[in-house]
Amino acid sequence: MIYLDYSATTPVSYEVLDTISKVTKEFIGNANSIHALGEKSAKLLESATKQIADIFGVNASEIVYTSGATEANNMAIIGVAMAHHRKGKHIIVSKLEHPSVYAICDYLKSIGFSIDYVNNDAEGLIDFDDLKAKVRDDTILVSICAVNSETGVRQPLKMIRQIIKKENIATLFHSDMTQAIGKVSVNFHDVDLASMSGHKIFGPKGIGFLYKSSMIKITPLIYGSGKSNELKPGTPPLPLIAALSKAIRLATTDLEKRERFVSLLNEKVVNFLEKYPNIKINKTKYSIPHILNFSVMNVMPETLIHALDKYEIYLSTNTACASGEASHSVMAIYNDVKRSKHTIRLSLSYVTTTEEINKFLDVFKEEYEKLSTVR
Ligand code: PMP
């Protein structure tokens, strides 16, 4: 098998699996219970959370566990909307967000919020002048993805924050960092809120977190009991939390060295694909090397993906969450309908090997050239 869909999800690493198994067996108490078994679990919860907080240079109380990034995005965006609607009902997002952000915005729009979509330039970078012009007195939130899941375009969050806060100091800034964490460095101090998901970094599915600065208030979406966190009451899923903490520690080591290796693999694929006049590479100078998007203009991407399936080579059309639809991110950057309907996303990891890429290129050549001549 050659797995080239690491941005859709990753397998759980052996070390992380080990943690899940150990914690499940050895920490049976509810972290909210007051007896010794509960206290033992509460202590592990505390140390796992502290480890995450230390890695990102924030306080443990600022980490709110969620089932993943979709829930974290909901908690952040709806939570801000509910807490701050008396100050304003205006929210700005980019044209390069994950579908979950647009679904949340559609809901907020249906209950009276107004949503603005900030433009980006031809390289996918947020148009700073447009952002500046769009931030108003009643803008309560700006949400901009750190790394776009389809094209890998990375945004300069620090600069974006400065622009937002200069226009309106009260406007909060959220970033979906799901595709950034574990691939490139991030700084939570650039934002007020950040979302992430464990299954993108060799952790289990069903766990992630929202970073929420202690300086800001949001309204909880979930109500219940338990002492762990007012935004996420209930029994903390300790095996998943300990696993997430382990996965984050493993994913954030040697980032630069791993990125350099992934860049070499990316360049190898780009050099190969560039030889075909009917393939357009959807990569800008801001794309991180882990996500490589290209459009096969003369073949339906699904046909090619299924042809590669037979060799147990796995890639996506655009993202797993929007499979079969035109890529709105490629559209936002290239403004080309056909190009955005013909996308393939190949996503790499530091665990991808040169041999895997060589084999992929051999099979791709054979299958793509066959499909190209059929037409
Ligand atoms: N945001 C981004 C940028 C993503 O790539 C994804 C996963 N496709 C999500 C949010 C949703 O994450 P989850 O599957 O953990 O809900």
Side-chain angles (χ1 to χ4, degrees):
M1 174 181 89
I2 300 178
Y3 187 70
L4 296 171
D5 202 12
Y6 289 97
S7 285
T9 196
T10 55
V12 180
S13 72
Y14 289 124
E15 293 102 313
V16 172
L17 263 181
D18 218 34
T19 300
I20 299 175
S21 157
K22 254 195 196 128
V23 174
T24 305
K25 282 188 257 173
E26 293 171 19
F27 292 78
I28 62 160
N30 185 328
N32 291 326
S33 298
I34 57 163
H35 51 61
L37 285 182
E39 269 176 28
K40 184 180 162 191
S41 291
K43 272 209 181 104
L44 180 63
L45 175 64
E46 199 182 308
S47 64
T49 309
K50 185 170 183 318
Q51 178 170 283
I52 296 175
D54 287 349
I55 287 169
F56 294 108
V58 299
N59 293 322
S61 62
E62 296 176 309
I63 303 292
V64 187
Y65 293 111
T66 63
S67 61
T70 300
E71 186 183 333
N73 285 342
N74 274 267
M75 197 180 264
I77 301 172
I78 302 178
V80 167
M82 295 307 154
H84 299 276
H85 64 93
R86 281 183 201 86
K87 282 187 248 157
K89 289 189 158 195
H90 184 236
I91 292 171
I92 299 171
V93 298
S94 82
K95 294 177 178 171
L96 297 165
E97 298 303 311
H98 184 261
S100 60
V101 170
Y102 296 127
I104 298 162
C105 289
D106 288 347
Y107 162 66
L108 288 175
K109 209 169 156 192
S110 77
I111 58 166
F113 285 83
S114 103
I115 315 291
D116 251 329
Y117 299 85
V118 64
N119 292 328
N120 49 268
D121 66 15
E123 302 283 343
L125 207 68
I126 294 303
D127 179 335
F128 300 143
D129 291 335
D130 190 45
L131 177 64
K132 202 168 155 208
K134 284 196 163 102
V135 177
R136 317 187 306 218
D137 287 349
D138 64 340
T139 307
I140 51 172
L141 178 71
V142 176
S143 181
I144 292 176
C145 212
V147 167
N148 173 248
S149 58
E150 294 177 70
T151 60
V153 167
R154 183 182 184 187
Q155 302 294 341
L157 299 181
K158 192 186 178 79
M159 206 183 289
I160 292 172
R161 178 191 179 87
Q162 281 166 0
I163 293 168
I164 299 167
K165 300 286 175 180
K166 196 165 168 224
E167 292 307 305
N168 184 347
I169 189 78
T171 301
L172 300 180
F173 183 28
H174 165 252
S175 180
D176 179 346
M177 295 194 183
T178 310
Q179 294 291 352
I181 290 174
K183 298 186 180 92
V184 291
S185 64
V186 296
N187 185 352
F188 285 180
H189 299 290
D190 291 342
V191 299
D192 300 300
L193 301 129
S195 306
M196 73 80 67
S197 189
H199 72 91
K200 307 286 187 186
I201 56 162
F202 302 92
K205 293 165 182 60
I207 188 79
F209 71 80
L210 173 71
Y211 158 71
K212 184 195 77 70
S213 158
S214 56
M215 308 295 282
I216 69 158
K217 262 206 103 51
I218 64 173
T219 300
L221 302 188
I222 299 161
Y223 296 86
S225 60
K227 62 187 177 194
S228 40
N229 197 298
E230 62 164 341
L231 290 169
K232 182 74 185 205
T235 306
L238 199 53
L240 295 181
I241 290 170
L244 179 68
S245 184
K246 172 68 100 23
I248 290 173
R249 187 166 60 75
L250 295 172
T252 51
T253 26
D254 283 340
L255 269 185
E256 283 173 22
K257 191 171 148 210
R258 289 172 177 175
E259 190 183 346
R260 279 197 298 276
F261 173 65
V262 173
S263 284
L264 294 177
L265 299 179
N266 179 302
E267 278 161 30
K268 196 175 171 76
V269 180
V270 169
N271 288 340
F272 169 85
L273 295 176
E274 269 175 351
K275 285 186 256 159
Y276 294 104
N278 278 315
I279 292 184
K280 292 183 192 290
I281 316 279
N282 304 318
K283 174 181 174 175
T284 86
K285 63 180 176 202
Y286 300 108
S287 297
I288 64 166
H290 310 72
I291 300 178
L292 176 56
N293 197 302
F294 54 95
S295 299
V296 279
M297 304 297 276
N298 56 335
V299 173
M300 284 313 288
E302 294 81 4
T303 314
L304 193 49
I305 301 260
H306 291 312
L308 296 176
D309 241 23
K310 286 188 226 121
Y311 298 83
E312 298 190 348
I313 296 178
Y314 303 109
L315 298 92
S316 286
T317 45
N318 36 28
T319 70
C321 306
S323 287
E325 294 166 24
S327 160
H328 73 261
S329 306
V330 171
M331 189 64 193
I333 298 172
Y334 298 99
N335 197 23
D336 179 333
V337 175
K338 185 165 182 202
R339 189 167 178 161
S340 67
K341 280 188 174 163
H342 282 250
T343 58
I344 289 185
R345 181 187 67 177
L346 181 154
S347 44
L348 301 160
S349 156
Y350 70 94
V351 302
T352 308
T353 64
T354 311
E355 292 71 34
E356 285 179 316
I357 292 302
N358 289 341
K359 170 85 180 139
F360 159 71
L361 295 180
D362 287 346
V363 173
F364 185 93
K365 182 176 185 329
E366 192 178 323
E367 289 301 315
Y368 173 63
E369 289 181 7
K370 205 161 47 183
L371 287 166
S372 299
T373 51
V374 165
R375 291 168 53 86

